[in-house]
Amino acid sequence: MVLFRRLLGDVLRGARMQRGMTLRELSAEARVSLGYISEIERGQKEASSELLASLCQAMDLPLSDVLRDVADAVALEEIAIGIVGSATIAAGRPSGDVVASAA
């Protein structure tokens, strides 16, 4: 769980910085305390789904993009520590846009 929190924080920080937003600006836009966002970005606190949605909305970023980036980072960590091979991860990921129907 610590790994996931750290990687989520890294992805959120990267997205915020890529958009040229300061912690203060994101805090004001998302209406979340600056300290709490900082702790999330450092991987010290867990973010609820509501909080993640608020942060993503404030950055005009789809939550699915954040989660996809975190999943990719987790996959790289798994490869780095030898949990799974890169071929296993590549085989489990769909390529392109895939829409599943519930028929």
Side-chain angles (χ1 to χ4, degrees):
M1 189 54 89
V2 173
L3 173 66
F4 182 81
R5 282 196 323 247
R6 182 178 57 82
L7 295 175
L8 176 62
D10 290 347
V11 168
L12 289 171
R13 183 182 317 102
R16 177 180 57 78
M17 293 175 73
Q18 187 176 32
R19 283 159 177 69
M21 293 180 81
T22 65
L23 274 172
R24 187 171 307 282
E25 291 168 335
L26 180 57
S27 173
E29 184 70 27
R31 297 185 178 168
V32 176
S33 84
L34 187 143
Y36 198 71
I37 296 172
S38 177
E39 289 179 326
I40 289 169
E41 285 189 358
R42 288 181 281 140
Q44 295 177 340
K45 294 282 185 182
E46 289 189 33
S48 68
S49 57
E50 293 85 359
L51 178 63
L52 281 175
S54 179
L55 294 174
C56 289
Q57 184 177 8
M59 291 188 284
D60 193 30
L61 177 68
L63 177 58
S64 59
D65 287 355
V66 169
L67 296 176
R68 186 175 308 113
D69 290 346
V70 173
D72 290 344
V74 169
L76 290 174
E77 290 284 334
E78 289 175 334
I79 292 169
I81 61 176
I83 293 176
V84 295
S86 57
T88 302
I89 291 174
R93 302 289 313 263
S95 61
D97 295 326
V98 176
V99 178
S101 64

